[in-house]
Structure formats: structure tokens, C-alpha cells
Amino acid sequence: MVSIKKSVGYIKKSKLHKQDSQLHFLTKLFKSSIVIILFLFIWEFAPKLGIVEATFLPPFSDVVNAWWELIKSGELWFHFKSSILRSLFGFLLALAIAIPLGLIIGWYPLMRDLLTPILELFRNTAALALLPVFILILGIGELSKVSIILFACTWPVLLNTISAVKNVDPLLIKSARSMNISSIKLFYKVILPASVPTIFTGVRMAGTGAILVLIAAEMVGAKAGLGYFITYTQYNFLIPEMYAGILTISILGLIINYGLSSIENYFSRWKQ
Amino acid sequence: MEKIKFERVTKKFLIRDDQKKGALREFTAIQDIDFSVKEGEFITLVGPSGCGKSTLLDLLMGLSRPTKGRILIDGREIDGPGLDRGIVFQQYALFPWKTARGNIEFGLEAKGIPKSEWKERADHYLDLVGLKKFADRYPHELSGGMKQRVAIARSLAFNPEVLVMDEPFAALDAQTRETLQAELLRIWEKTGKTILFVTHGIDEAVYLGQRVVVLTANPGTVKKIVDIPLKNWLEDADIKSNPKFVEARHEVWSLLHESEFIGANI
Ligand SMILES: Nc1ncnc2c1ncn2[C@@H]1O[C@H](COP(=O)(O)OP(=O)(O)OP(=O)(O)O)[C@@H](O)[C@H]1O
Ligand SMILES: [Mg+2]
């Protein structure tokens, strides 16, 4: 008897709990989306009410319609694809070069001291300032675009990797060395895992930078890609289409940032 | 049955000269340290800050080399790190990306113990330090005392003959420290390891050690080795008021403070 009562009480409680957490979820959703909804609302009605010029800022629904047409025709996908391929290619190439190189440079104090100043100089040279140079030397084809993304992504990853290796807690190295492990093991069992979070900060910076540089490069000289699409639509006065392109870039940026920070969280899960 | 022998061990460092800019000069951290430790002995080292205790332990661990003299273990000169010695540091030095179990397994792997035995061994030593339930926690999820227990378990798990401890309980609160002191004595009795224990606490040195090595600073030398004539620490709950304890404590205290009065830096 008692046990039945108890279990009924338990069910009630857990139901209540479920409702509670549902409510919690809804308030959270509300909080995180209300301002965006408001923003879209203003975007929709400001042009319709004539507060802003509808030719330059068409209502949000017009943009969505244009967007939908672009998706259906496959045009957007075409540009999206060439943008994402370029940035992914340049970005991954940068990681493949900068991480191993950074690990090596970071490990040898002399190399580190010699190279860090020039690397800082490169990092602080805005990649876009070099765009004309890249186009001059490599033309306006894929090569110059991938190269400039590679250039922009390399420095943050490289410098972060170097400083990650440099800043590994010496006590951890001492502790591992006291267990008589070889230098190679010390490297990939201690230095590498200890460096991962800092390296990833650099990777995320590179991811954000990649999009920025890509779009700018595509605006200057390209025949495909989202940057090109935006300038093209602007020249041809396809304003709703232009906004559709801009929104696509926002979404692309969000996806990349979200993806990278999830990976970062996964690799740093042992940190507080 | 002499386990460790320090033979006139001297360590000098090159440091920047204060007088001449850019120049280097020699600095003697420890000089002519000469004593031996018996097999299975629990010996504690006390001395003023900067007298070279950690330096001496580094030499014993084979992490650096003496400038003069040598250190023998079982009659053989130390020529590098080895798993016949295990060390526990004040700041735990656990690998933060590994769980408690992972940290212990790190040492087992270093020792070349087959993977099939890792779990059992890790469990055994986690149990020994009372952390069986916390095997899968990361260091940041453990309290200071728990972290230090994991560090002790890690050093014991690869079964070194000598356990070296550099102020392992200094960062803990008084109560945790007392618990861990008693636990360490129990582990020592159970495993029969030779233990070298560095501390700042006179009470701790006298309570734990069978002998207390008192060091002086600038350069670090052995001032005196005090015998502690106490047995059955664990049975006697109030051992710290035992007249013999009080006497030994006073002797160590006086030895430490003589040198400070000469330095007149108080
Ligand atoms: N790598 C080094 N280079 C130069 N000097 C050093 C080095 N390591 C230690 N010393 C010096 O040697 C002396 C002894 O240092 P050590 O760390 O062994 O002292 P300690 O007795 O462990 O002190 P504490 O009780 O504060 O831990 C100090 O004066 C220190 O400055
Ligand atoms: Mg020290």
C-alpha cells in the first residue's frame, strides 16, 4: 500500500518536473529569440509604412521570397558551394601547415625567439591589404582566393600554437619527465594535449577571419561565390536578392562559429 | 641496508650577476650534502625557504645533475629519471585532461605494465587512497585533498622503491592535512617504501619522520639529523603531547631558529 502511494507520488513529481523543464525551455527560447523577431518585424513594416525607402530596404518577406526563388533555381547553392569550398580548402590547408609548424617552433626556444617578431608582423598585416598583391601575382582565379584565405588563417593558428607550447605548465613536464618517458612521448602525451585549448582559440579566430577575407576577395575579382553574388546583384539592382545573399553569409558565419566552438568545447571538456 | 646515499652533493647554478650587468656568476644552492637513508625508512627534511630542498629532490629524481658529488641508490649512481623513484609535488601536477584513473594509468604505461592490468591496479590504488568512487572525475572536479590523494596513488601505482614528496600537504587545510598524514603513515606501514618527505612544518616533520634532517641556508647544508624516538604513531591519538614528541619538536625548532637569529632577518 505504502509503496504504491509512494510510487504515485513519484510519478506526479516527475510529471511536474517535466512540465517545469518544458516551461524553462520555453522561457529560454523566448528570451533568445524575442529581439530577433522584433528586428524582423521592424524590417518587415518599416519599408511597408514608408519609414524607409522600400527600394533600398525591401520588406523582409520580399527578401525571403527572393531567397526562396534563388534556392529553387539552384543559383544560391552554386555560389554558396564555391564560397564554402574555397574557404574550407584554404582554412584546412592553413591548419595542416600552421599546427605542426607551430608545435615545432614552440618547442625550440631559439627558433621561437627568432621567429616570433616576424610572425607577429605578418599577423598584424591585414590580409586584405595584401589582396592586390595576391591578385597581381596569382591572377583572379581560385589560386589567389585560396591563397589569401590560407594567408589569413595561418597566422592566428601558428602564433597560438607557438604560445600554447611555450606556456605548457613546466611542472607537468617535470612530472612526466620524472616518470622517465621519452621526448617523443612527452611531446604527444603531454605537450600536445596541454596545448589543444589554446590552439583551438587560434583555430576559431582563423574561422571567423576566413569568411571575412573570402567575401572581400570575391567582391573584388571573381565569377562565382557569395561575395561576387552580392556585388553582382547590387550592380543589377536586384535588391531583394542582394539581401538574400547577405543573409546567407550571416548564416554561413553562424554555422562555422557554432561548429568550431562545439569542437572546441569537446576538446576542452576537461577545463573548468 | 642503505637505500639512498648522498655523497658530498653540491649543486651550483649560473645566475645573473647583480653587480655587473649582463655577467653571470655561480650560485651555490646546496653544498656537501652527505647522509644516507635506510631501506624502508621515513625521513623528513626541514629547512628555511630557499635552502635547496627542492633542488636536492630534483637531483635525487635525476631531473638535474649534481655539480659535484654523487647520489647512489642501492649502490648505483643515479644517471637520470627512473621509475624506481616516484615524486609527489605540492601543486599536485596532475594532468588536467586525464581523469583520476587516466592519471594513474599514465605512470603504469610509462612503466611498461600491460594494458590488461591497468584497471585492476588503478582501482587498487584509488581504493588505497579512498577515492574509488572518483575514478572518472577530472582533476578540476576534485578538491585539493582529493587531487593530492590521486597524485599519491599515481606515484605508488607504478610501485617505486623510493617515494619522494615535496611539501605535498602544504596547500591543504589543517584538517585534511592531518587526515592525509595519518593515511600516508598507514600506506608506508603497508607498503614498506622508503620515503623522503620535505616540509615546512616542524610538527609534520617530527610526527612523520623517523629521522628529521635539518638544513641551513646559503648554501644549503645539513645542520643536524635528529632521531625521533617514537613508535606506534597511529595508535597514540594524542601523540603530539607526548613528552618525547615535545622534546624532539623543540630540538628541531631550536636548530632551525639558531640560524635565523644569526641572519637577524626577523
Ligand atoms: N634553475 C635554477 N637556476 C638558478 N637558481 C636556482 C634554480 N633553482 C633553484 N635555484 C636557487 O637555489 C636555491 C634553492 O632553491 P630550492 O627551490 O631548492 O629551495 P627550497 O628549499 O625548495 O625552497 P622552498 O622551501 O621555498 O620550496 C634558491 O636560492 C633558488 O633561487
Ligand atoms: Mg621547494
Side-chain angles (χ1 to χ4, degrees):
Chain A
M1 222 7 226
V2 175
S3 80
I4 291 172
K5 251 191 191 163
K6 245 190 188 165
S7 70
V8 168
Y10 176 75
I11 290 168
K12 264 192 191 156
K13 226 179 177 176
S14 82
K15 248 190 185 165
L16 221 87
H17 199 73
K18 209 169 167 189
Q19 277 175 352
D20 244 28
S21 72
Q22 267 173 357
L23 198 72
H24 184 72
F25 176 75
L26 285 177
T27 37
K28 232 176 121 180
L29 192 71
F30 179 78
K31 268 199 225 159
S32 58
S33 57
I34 180 66
V35 177
I36 294 179
I37 291 170
L38 203 68
F39 169 71
L40 296 179
F41 200 77
I42 294 171
W43 185 353
E44 179 67 22
F45 287 102
K48 281 197 171 155
L49 299 174
I51 301 170
V52 295
E53 181 61 64
T55 358
F56 299 133
L57 183 67
F60 182 61
S61 54
D62 288 7
V63 174
V64 172
N65 278 336
W67 208 357
W68 182 236
E69 290 304 319
L70 285 168
I71 292 170
K72 272 201 299 194
S73 71
E75 199 178 343
L76 198 64
W77 174 241
F78 169 74
H79 294 291
F80 185 82
K81 199 172 62 182
S82 58
S83 284
I84 195 104
L85 284 180
R86 280 169 190 154
S87 48
L88 217 56
F89 198 60
F91 176 71
L92 292 179
L93 207 58
L95 298 192
I97 294 168
I99 294 177
L101 200 63
L103 291 173
I104 295 169
I105 296 173
W107 187 233
Y108 295 102
L110 180 66
M111 257 218 257
R112 194 172 68 213
D113 294 346
L114 285 175
L115 292 176
T116 306
I118 190 156
L119 297 179
E120 280 292 351
L121 182 69
F122 276 125
R123 191 235 286 262
N124 288 301
T125 305
L128 287 178
L130 288 173
L131 187 56
V133 181
F134 275 82
I135 291 177
L136 202 64
I137 297 172
L138 302 170
I140 62 161
E142 292 303 318
L143 190 60
S144 68
K145 264 152 230 93
V146 172
S147 307
I148 196 148
I149 292 166
L150 172 67
F151 180 89
C153 292
T154 298
W155 311 117
V157 178
L158 188 60
L159 281 156
N160 269 58
T161 308
I162 293 171
S163 93
V165 174
K166 189 178 90 177
N167 292 320
V168 174
D169 184 355
L171 189 64
L172 293 183
I173 298 176
K174 202 168 156 181
S175 169
R177 279 220 304 133
S178 79
M179 288 183 243
N180 200 18
I181 67 171
S182 65
S183 298
I184 298 171
K185 275 215 164 147
L186 178 70
F187 200 83
Y188 77 87
K189 294 231 148 209
V190 179
I191 310 286
L192 199 57
S195 306
V196 164
T198 315
I199 294 177
F200 244 95
T201 310
V203 171
R204 214 146 52 90
M205 283 156 72
T208 322
I211 297 295
L212 183 81
V213 172
L214 171 80
I215 301 301
E218 285 176 344
M219 282 177 156
V220 176
K223 289 174 229 68
L226 292 170
Y228 162 79
F229 179 75
I230 291 167
T231 30
Y232 170 83
T233 46
Q234 189 219 343
Y235 285 147
N236 294 284
F237 223 70
L238 303 165
I239 301 306
E241 283 79 1
M242 182 186 83
Y243 283 107
I246 293 171
L247 281 179
T248 311
I249 291 167
S250 309
I251 289 170
L252 179 66
L254 275 178
I255 292 172
I256 287 178
N257 217 334
Y258 180 77
L260 288 178
S261 57
S262 318
I263 301 173
E264 184 178 7
N265 284 341
Y266 175 77
F267 278 114
S268 314
R269 67 193 178 286
W270 47 268
K271 278 203 146 181
Q272 11 326 42
Chain B
M1 281 190 305
E2 177 183 272
K3 186 75 188 169
I4 308 167
K5 188 164 171 51
F6 295 94
E7 272 184 9
R8 301 185 60 100
V9 177
T10 300
K11 178 72 182 178
K12 292 177 180 172
F13 291 109
L14 278 179
I15 57 167
R16 279 182 304 278
D17 200 332
D18 309 327
Q19 264 94 54
K20 265 190 292 172
K21 233 185 137 204
L24 293 175
R25 70 180 175 88
E26 269 190 350
F27 168 79
T28 309
I30 54 178
Q31 189 164 27
D32 291 330
I33 298 271
D34 203 294
F35 68 96
S36 17
V37 185
K38 290 193 279 290
E39 173 131 36
E41 189 177 17
F42 198 137
I43 200 160
T44 52
L45 283 82
V46 286
S49 182
C51 75
K53 302 181 293 290
S54 301
T55 305
L56 189 68
L57 296 191
D58 275 359
L59 295 173
L60 176 61
M61 291 309 291
L63 294 169
S64 65
R65 304 232 161 197
T67 315
K68 263 188 259 160
R70 50 186 201 152
I71 304 173
L72 308 171
I73 289 192
D74 292 329
R76 260 173 298 124
E77 188 173 348
I78 288 173
D79 64 347
L83 289 156
D84 53 341
R85 289 149 282 159
I87 189 162
V88 177
F89 298 100
Q90 180 184 334
Q91 304 89 344
Y92 325 124
L94 295 175
F95 303 116
W97 57 89
K98 286 186 176 288
T99 59
R101 182 195 302 288
N103 267 284
I104 293 172
E105 288 177 347
F106 189 94
L108 299 179
E109 187 182 356
K111 183 107 177 194
I113 287 164
K115 207 167 181 169
S116 54
E117 289 175 32
W118 289 1
K119 190 173 157 22
E120 201 192 320
R121 277 231 203 183
D123 281 341
H124 173 78
Y125 284 97
L126 280 166
D127 199 20
L128 188 70
V129 297
L131 285 181
K132 209 169 186 176
K133 287 203 199 103
F134 297 88
D136 298 314
R137 298 275 189 103
Y138 286 100
H140 82 263
E141 298 167 320
L142 300 172
S143 72
M146 289 161 140
K147 277 186 245 195
Q148 199 54 289
R149 284 169 211 236
V150 175
I152 292 171
R154 177 174 68 179
S155 291
L156 289 173
F158 57 77
N159 199 19
E161 291 152 34
V162 177
L163 186 60
V164 174
M165 307 180 94
D166 194 354
E167 302 187 36
F169 304 150
L172 306 175
D173 64 276
Q175 211 175 342
T176 312
R177 189 181 310 138
E178 275 183 26
T179 316
L180 283 184
Q181 285 169 352
E183 262 175 47
L184 182 63
L185 283 177
R186 214 167 278 133
I187 290 169
W188 171 62
E189 282 193 336
K190 214 163 161 180
T191 56
K193 307 245 177 263
T194 309
I195 300 184
L196 246 90
F197 188 106
V198 164
T199 174
H200 264 127
I202 299 173
D203 266 11
E204 187 170 64
V206 175
Y207 175 62
L208 292 175
Q210 295 177 300
R211 288 192 294 156
V212 178
V213 180
V214 182
L215 300 162
T216 51
N218 296 320
T221 51
V222 176
K223 180 154 197 184
K224 194 174 174 197
I225 301 181
V226 180
D227 273 310
I228 309 294
L230 292 171
K231 286 272 169 289
N232 51 41
W233 296 259
L234 291 170
E235 282 91 81
D236 190 351
D238 197 21
I239 196 158
K240 287 181 186 169
S241 11
N242 184 317
K244 280 183 185 165
F245 183 95
V246 175
E247 197 183 316
R249 190 193 176 289
H250 183 73
E251 185 178 2
V252 174
W253 185 87
S254 319
L255 286 166
L256 277 173
H257 284 248
E258 272 169 32
S259 49
E260 278 183 28
F261 283 123
I262 293 166
N265 272 335
I266 306 169

